[in-house]
Amino acid sequence: EMQLVESGGGLVQSGGSLRLSCAASGFTFNSYWMHWVRQVPGKGLVWVSRINKDGSTTNYADSVKGRVTISRDNAKNTMYLQMNSLRAEDTAVYYCTRDEVIGSGSLGHWGQGTLVTVSS
Amino acid sequence: QSALTQPASVSGSPGQSITISCTGTSSDIGTYNYVSWYQQHPGKVPKLMIYEVYNRPSGVSNRFSGSKSGNTASLTISGLQAEDEADYYCSSYTHSSTNTVVFGGGTKLTVL
């Protein structure tokens, strides 16, 4: 069964750092583009970042560019999101998602999410 | 403010059909056929319902259909059922700025 399991969320002070992880199983991880999407509880979905199959191409939302780095380790079937200089507005549930169509944003599988809370 | 514009809410009675619109620009919906729709029930993870404008993933009911005209995409749900009550989000690939995917603000569907 295909699974995406996020970890690494938690409470951090403004200006601090966190590294989120997404462990993938049940599919050929290195065959898919992957994305991070976040959602403030009770609010809408916001795209954060994407990475291609071998990690050579990355893209970021304007709101996190320069503060966040997406990466992947295909040998470990794991994707990461390094988040630095965190702000209160980064508080959200962060979802790891699999793109079904070559990085286009057709997000067919989602993890359960990990909550990041940034205190000011 | 979301890049794609959706109505905040729509409603319909069981058995009826409803349509949710999603308006973008020539930088996203107007140029690319990479429009997706997601259903999210309270406390649950979003579920892909439509991708590439009108394609349904395996297991999604054929009561759900997608279309696009110009800069506006639409999700139609026919034969409304109580279980369809949820939040619905559209998204599109985009070449504006550095973002590559944009979401709509979401639409709350109420089944009366």
Side-chain angles (χ1 to χ4, degrees), chain B residues 38-60:
Chain B
Y38 302 87
Q39 176 192 66
Q40 187 178 32
H41 288 108
K44 301 298 185 181
V45 173
K47 175 184 178 183
L48 181 66
M49 305 301 285
I50 297 288
Y51 67 100
E52 291 183 293
V53 179
Y54 52 78
N55 291 322
R56 279 187 309 276
S58 175
V60 172

mmCIF file of all heavy atoms in Angstrom, chain B residues 38-60:
data_model
loop_
_atom_site.group_PDB
_atom_site.id
_atom_site.type_symbol
_atom_site.label_atom_id
_atom_site.label_comp_id
_atom_site.label_asym_id
_atom_site.label_seq_id
_atom_site.Cartn_x
_atom_site.Cartn_y
_atom_site.Cartn_z
ATOM 1 N N TYR B 38 -9.827 19.234 -5.825
ATOM 2 C CA TYR B 38 -9.660 18.432 -4.614
ATOM 3 C C TYR B 38 -10.895 18.569 -3.724
ATOM 4 O O TYR B 38 -11.487 19.654 -3.627
ATOM 5 C CB TYR B 38 -8.422 18.888 -3.826
ATOM 6 C CG TYR B 38 -7.151 18.802 -4.639
ATOM 7 C CD1 TYR B 38 -6.744 19.860 -5.452
ATOM 8 C CD2 TYR B 38 -6.370 17.646 -4.622
ATOM 9 C CE1 TYR B 38 -5.597 19.775 -6.227
ATOM 10 C CE2 TYR B 38 -5.223 17.548 -5.389
ATOM 11 C CZ TYR B 38 -4.845 18.619 -6.190
ATOM 12 O OH TYR B 38 -3.711 18.529 -6.955
ATOM 13 N N GLN B 39 -11.218 17.469 -3.087
ATOM 14 C CA GLN B 39 -12.306 17.435 -2.100
ATOM 15 C C GLN B 39 -11.676 17.247 -0.729
ATOM 16 O O GLN B 39 -10.791 16.410 -0.560
ATOM 17 C CB GLN B 39 -13.231 16.262 -2.405
ATOM 18 C CG GLN B 39 -14.354 16.047 -1.406
ATOM 19 C CD GLN B 39 -15.032 14.693 -1.633
ATOM 20 O OE1 GLN B 39 -14.440 13.644 -1.456
ATOM 21 N NE2 GLN B 39 -16.287 14.741 -2.052
ATOM 22 N N GLN B 40 -12.125 18.022 0.243
ATOM 23 C CA GLN B 40 -11.619 17.869 1.596
ATOM 24 C C GLN B 40 -12.774 17.909 2.587
ATOM 25 O O GLN B 40 -13.441 18.924 2.735
ATOM 26 C CB GLN B 40 -10.597 18.953 1.940
ATOM 27 C CG GLN B 40 -9.929 18.730 3.291
ATOM 28 C CD GLN B 40 -8.872 19.783 3.605
ATOM 29 O OE1 GLN B 40 -8.975 20.935 3.203
ATOM 30 N NE2 GLN B 40 -7.830 19.374 4.326
ATOM 31 N N HIS B 41 -12.963 16.790 3.264
ATOM 32 C CA HIS B 41 -13.934 16.746 4.344
ATOM 33 C C HIS B 41 -13.285 17.263 5.618
ATOM 34 O O HIS B 41 -12.048 17.203 5.757
ATOM 35 C CB HIS B 41 -14.441 15.310 4.547
ATOM 36 C CG HIS B 41 -15.350 14.842 3.451
ATOM 37 N ND1 HIS B 41 -14.979 13.906 2.512
ATOM 38 C CD2 HIS B 41 -16.631 15.200 3.147
ATOM 39 C CE1 HIS B 41 -15.980 13.704 1.686
ATOM 40 N NE2 HIS B 41 -16.994 14.472 2.040
ATOM 41 N N PRO B 42 -14.079 17.771 6.565
ATOM 42 C CA PRO B 42 -13.510 18.341 7.795
ATOM 43 C C PRO B 42 -12.588 17.352 8.501
ATOM 44 O O PRO B 42 -12.950 16.192 8.724
ATOM 45 C CB PRO B 42 -14.756 18.638 8.634
ATOM 46 C CG PRO B 42 -15.824 18.883 7.630
ATOM 47 C CD PRO B 42 -15.532 17.916 6.504
ATOM 48 N N GLY B 43 -11.400 17.824 8.824
ATOM 49 C CA GLY B 43 -10.442 17.002 9.545
ATOM 50 C C GLY B 43 -9.757 15.942 8.716
ATOM 51 O O GLY B 43 -8.988 15.138 9.251
ATOM 52 N N LYS B 44 -10.031 15.934 7.410
ATOM 53 C CA LYS B 44 -9.449 14.914 6.534
ATOM 54 C C LYS B 44 -8.434 15.507 5.575
ATOM 55 O O LYS B 44 -8.324 16.722 5.417
ATOM 56 C CB LYS B 44 -10.561 14.215 5.743
ATOM 57 C CG LYS B 44 -11.604 13.532 6.616
ATOM 58 C CD LYS B 44 -11.011 12.430 7.454
ATOM 59 C CE LYS B 44 -12.076 11.679 8.222
ATOM 60 N NZ LYS B 44 -11.490 10.595 9.078
ATOM 61 N N VAL B 45 -7.707 14.618 4.930
ATOM 62 C CA VAL B 45 -6.706 15.009 3.950
ATOM 63 C C VAL B 45 -7.395 15.278 2.605
ATOM 64 O O VAL B 45 -8.364 14.614 2.268
ATOM 65 C CB VAL B 45 -5.677 13.872 3.803
ATOM 66 C CG1 VAL B 45 -4.709 14.152 2.675
ATOM 67 C CG2 VAL B 45 -4.923 13.660 5.106
ATOM 68 N N PRO B 46 -6.923 16.268 1.852
ATOM 69 C CA PRO B 46 -7.511 16.509 0.527
ATOM 70 C C PRO B 46 -7.422 15.276 -0.370
ATOM 71 O O PRO B 46 -6.454 14.503 -0.287
ATOM 72 C CB PRO B 46 -6.670 17.658 -0.028
ATOM 73 C CG PRO B 46 -6.163 18.369 1.186
ATOM 74 C CD PRO B 46 -5.899 17.279 2.182
ATOM 75 N N LYS B 47 -8.406 15.135 -1.224
ATOM 76 C CA LYS B 47 -8.471 14.008 -2.165
ATOM 77 C C LYS B 47 -8.585 14.552 -3.578
ATOM 78 O O LYS B 47 -9.427 15.415 -3.857
ATOM 79 C CB LYS B 47 -9.681 13.128 -1.851
ATOM 80 C CG LYS B 47 -9.905 11.995 -2.835
ATOM 81 C CD LYS B 47 -11.185 11.237 -2.513
ATOM 82 C CE LYS B 47 -11.459 10.129 -3.519
ATOM 83 N NZ LYS B 47 -12.738 9.428 -3.250
ATOM 84 N N LEU B 48 -7.752 14.045 -4.467
ATOM 85 C CA LEU B 48 -7.796 14.464 -5.864
ATOM 86 C C LEU B 48 -9.039 13.900 -6.522
ATOM 87 O O LEU B 48 -9.250 12.693 -6.533
ATOM 88 C CB LEU B 48 -6.536 13.983 -6.593
ATOM 89 C CG LEU B 48 -6.413 14.350 -8.071
ATOM 90 C CD1 LEU B 48 -6.282 15.849 -8.259
ATOM 91 C CD2 LEU B 48 -5.227 13.620 -8.699
ATOM 92 N N MET B 49 -9.851 14.780 -7.112
ATOM 93 C CA MET B 49 -11.085 14.362 -7.755
ATOM 94 C C MET B 49 -11.009 14.463 -9.272
ATOM 95 O O MET B 49 -11.615 13.670 -9.985
ATOM 96 C CB MET B 49 -12.254 15.214 -7.252
ATOM 97 C CG MET B 49 -12.414 15.226 -5.753
ATOM 98 S SD MET B 49 -12.679 13.581 -5.071
ATOM 99 C CE MET B 49 -14.387 13.298 -5.540
ATOM 100 N N ILE B 50 -10.296 15.476 -9.749
ATOM 101 C CA ILE B 50 -10.143 15.718 -11.180
ATOM 102 C C ILE B 50 -8.719 16.211 -11.427
ATOM 103 O O ILE B 50 -8.191 17.013 -10.649
ATOM 104 C CB ILE B 50 -11.127 16.797 -11.690
ATOM 105 C CG1 ILE B 50 -12.587 16.362 -11.525
ATOM 106 C CG2 ILE B 50 -10.823 17.176 -13.141
ATOM 107 C CD1 ILE B 50 -13.035 15.264 -12.488
ATOM 108 N N TYR B 51 -8.087 15.731 -12.503
ATOM 109 C CA TYR B 51 -6.797 16.269 -12.896
ATOM 110 C C TYR B 51 -6.762 16.485 -14.401
ATOM 111 O O TYR B 51 -7.547 15.891 -15.135
ATOM 112 C CB TYR B 51 -5.650 15.355 -12.427
ATOM 113 C CG TYR B 51 -5.602 14.010 -13.106
ATOM 114 C CD1 TYR B 51 -4.714 13.769 -14.151
ATOM 115 C CD2 TYR B 51 -6.425 12.957 -12.706
ATOM 116 C CE1 TYR B 51 -4.655 12.541 -14.780
ATOM 117 C CE2 TYR B 51 -6.377 11.725 -13.320
ATOM 118 C CZ TYR B 51 -5.482 11.524 -14.360
ATOM 119 O OH TYR B 51 -5.431 10.300 -14.972
ATOM 120 N N GLU B 52 -5.850 17.331 -14.828
ATOM 121 C CA GLU B 52 -5.754 17.685 -16.256
ATOM 122 C C GLU B 52 -7.127 18.065 -16.815
ATOM 123 O O GLU B 52 -7.555 17.562 -17.851
ATOM 124 C CB GLU B 52 -5.121 16.547 -17.056
ATOM 125 C CG GLU B 52 -3.656 16.356 -16.729
ATOM 126 C CD GLU B 52 -3.013 15.253 -17.584
ATOM 127 O OE1 GLU B 52 -3.394 14.089 -17.394
ATOM 128 O OE2 GLU B 52 -2.148 15.583 -18.401
ATOM 129 N N VAL B 53 -7.787 18.931 -16.109
ATOM 130 C CA VAL B 53 -9.069 19.550 -16.461
ATOM 131 C C VAL B 53 -10.260 18.622 -16.287
ATOM 132 O O VAL B 53 -11.251 19.007 -15.673
ATOM 133 C CB VAL B 53 -9.051 20.116 -17.910
ATOM 134 C CG1 VAL B 53 -10.423 20.732 -18.241
ATOM 135 C CG2 VAL B 53 -7.958 21.146 -18.077
ATOM 136 N N TYR B 54 -10.191 17.405 -16.887
ATOM 137 C CA TYR B 54 -11.404 16.572 -16.901
ATOM 138 C C TYR B 54 -11.163 15.103 -16.572
ATOM 139 O O TYR B 54 -12.101 14.298 -16.624
ATOM 140 C CB TYR B 54 -12.101 16.672 -18.255
ATOM 141 C CG TYR B 54 -11.216 16.400 -19.439
ATOM 142 C CD1 TYR B 54 -10.858 15.109 -19.803
ATOM 143 C CD2 TYR B 54 -10.721 17.455 -20.199
ATOM 144 C CE1 TYR B 54 -10.030 14.866 -20.880
ATOM 145 C CE2 TYR B 54 -9.897 17.225 -21.286
ATOM 146 C CZ TYR B 54 -9.555 15.933 -21.619
ATOM 147 O OH TYR B 54 -8.732 15.705 -22.698
ATOM 148 N N ASN B 55 -9.951 14.726 -16.259
ATOM 149 C CA ASN B 55 -9.657 13.313 -15.962
ATOM 150 C C ASN B 55 -9.983 12.967 -14.521
ATOM 151 O O ASN B 55 -9.655 13.717 -13.598
ATOM 152 C CB ASN B 55 -8.178 13.022 -16.244
ATOM 153 C CG ASN B 55 -7.848 13.071 -17.722
ATOM 154 O OD1 ASN B 55 -8.631 12.635 -18.554
ATOM 155 N ND2 ASN B 55 -6.697 13.616 -18.046
ATOM 156 N N ARG B 56 -10.600 11.809 -14.342
ATOM 157 C CA ARG B 56 -10.905 11.316 -13.000
ATOM 158 C C ARG B 56 -9.943 10.214 -12.600
ATOM 159 O O ARG B 56 -9.751 9.260 -13.357
ATOM 160 C CB ARG B 56 -12.335 10.738 -12.930
ATOM 161 C CG ARG B 56 -13.435 11.737 -12.762
ATOM 162 C CD ARG B 56 -14.774 11.013 -12.538
ATOM 163 N NE ARG B 56 -15.033 10.000 -13.543
ATOM 164 C CZ ARG B 56 -15.576 10.263 -14.720
ATOM 165 N NH1 ARG B 56 -15.928 11.498 -15.020
ATOM 166 N NH2 ARG B 56 -15.785 9.289 -15.594
ATOM 167 N N PRO B 57 -9.340 10.335 -11.416
ATOM 168 C CA PRO B 57 -8.512 9.222 -10.922
ATOM 169 C C PRO B 57 -9.385 7.981 -10.713
ATOM 170 O O PRO B 57 -10.605 8.076 -10.537
ATOM 171 C CB PRO B 57 -7.979 9.743 -9.586
ATOM 172 C CG PRO B 57 -8.114 11.230 -9.660
ATOM 173 C CD PRO B 57 -9.318 11.469 -10.504
ATOM 174 N N SER B 58 -8.725 6.855 -10.714
ATOM 175 C CA SER B 58 -9.427 5.604 -10.459
ATOM 176 C C SER B 58 -10.145 5.671 -9.116
ATOM 177 O O SER B 58 -9.581 6.122 -8.118
ATOM 178 C CB SER B 58 -8.425 4.452 -10.456
ATOM 179 O OG SER B 58 -9.050 3.253 -10.093
ATOM 180 N N GLY B 59 -11.400 5.258 -9.112
ATOM 181 C CA GLY B 59 -12.165 5.224 -7.876
ATOM 182 C C GLY B 59 -13.040 6.437 -7.623
ATOM 183 O O GLY B 59 -13.888 6.404 -6.727
ATOM 184 N N VAL B 60 -12.846 7.485 -8.391
ATOM 185 C CA VAL B 60 -13.673 8.684 -8.228
ATOM 186 C C VAL B 60 -14.955 8.518 -9.041
ATOM 187 O O VAL B 60 -14.919 8.143 -10.217
ATOM 188 C CB VAL B 60 -12.914 9.950 -8.677
ATOM 189 C CG1 VAL B 60 -13.842 11.172 -8.692
ATOM 190 C CG2 VAL B 60 -11.725 10.203 -7.750
#
